[in-house]
């Protein structure tokens, strides 16, 4: 882990698409606690909000849903959720958009 990585502080979360409605907020700030992989942050969001956001973010195995697009700053993260985040990061979570 990079020694300059801030493992405390907070991150800004922005929700887009149906996640905005499901979460009940468009944007929020979450305090980091220790292990700070993006998967840890997403699980924390699921715990904080409960259903239905939990089901929208995580599959039955507790993994980030494959169809979500998550970025930290301007960089799209890999789907394993192993991307590290630090205090001050901006995280955006997009749900798929469908239509006819």
């Amino acid at each position: 882990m990079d020694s300059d990585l801030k493992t405390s502080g907070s991150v800004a979360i922005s929700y887009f698409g149906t996640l905005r409605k499901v979460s009940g907020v468009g944007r929020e700030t979450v305090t980091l606690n220790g292990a700070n992989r993006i998967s840890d942050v997403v699980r924390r969001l699921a715990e904080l909000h409960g259903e239905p956001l939990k089901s929208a973010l995580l599959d039955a195995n507790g993994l980030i849903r494959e169809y979500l697009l998550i970025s930290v700053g301007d960089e799209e993260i890999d789907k394993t959720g192993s991307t590290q985040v630090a205090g001050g990061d901006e995280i955006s979570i997009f749900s798929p958009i469908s239509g006819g």
Side-chain angles (χ1 to χ4, degrees), residues 7-23:
T7 58
S8 61
S10 58
V11 293
I13 310 290
S14 296
Y15 299 100
F16 296 90
T18 58
L19 294 175
R20 182 180 297 253
K21 181 177 180 180
V22 172
S23 69

Side-chain angles (χ1 to χ4, degrees), residues 6-7 12-13 15 19-20 23 25 33 40 43 46 54 70 74 79 86 94-95:
K6 295 187 221 171
T7 58
I13 310 290
Y15 299 100
L19 294 175
R20 182 180 297 253
S23 69
V25 296
N33 294 321
D40 299 324
R43 284 187 193 98
K54 181 178 180 180
I70 301 176
D74 293 332
K79 296 298 182 184
F94 300 84
S95 60

Side-chain angles (χ1 to χ4, degrees), residues 12 70-77 83 85 88-92 94:
I70 301 176
S71 65
V72 177
D74 293 332
E75 300 292 321
E76 182 179 348
I77 62 132
T83 301
V85 296
D89 280 346
E90 301 258 341
I91 299 170
S92 300
F94 300 84

Side-chain angles (χ1 to χ4, degrees), residues 20-82:
R20 182 180 297 253
K21 181 177 180 180
V22 172
S23 69
V25 296
R27 185 174 171 87
E28 66 182 319
T29 301
V30 176
T31 302
L32 296 174
N33 294 321
N36 293 312
R37 295 174 305 159
I38 192 69
S39 57
D40 299 324
V41 174
V42 172
R43 284 187 193 98
R44 181 134 189 269
L45 294 170
E47 290 172 14
L48 288 171
H49 288 276
E51 293 297 343
L53 186 62
K54 181 178 180 180
S55 293
L57 295 174
L58 303 173
D59 66 17
N61 297 315
L63 301 174
I64 297 172
R65 292 204 176 270
E66 279 292 318
Y67 57 74
L68 294 177
L69 172 66
I70 301 176
S71 65
V72 177
D74 293 332
E75 300 292 321
E76 182 179 348
I77 62 132
D78 64 68
K79 296 298 182 184
T80 66
S82 62

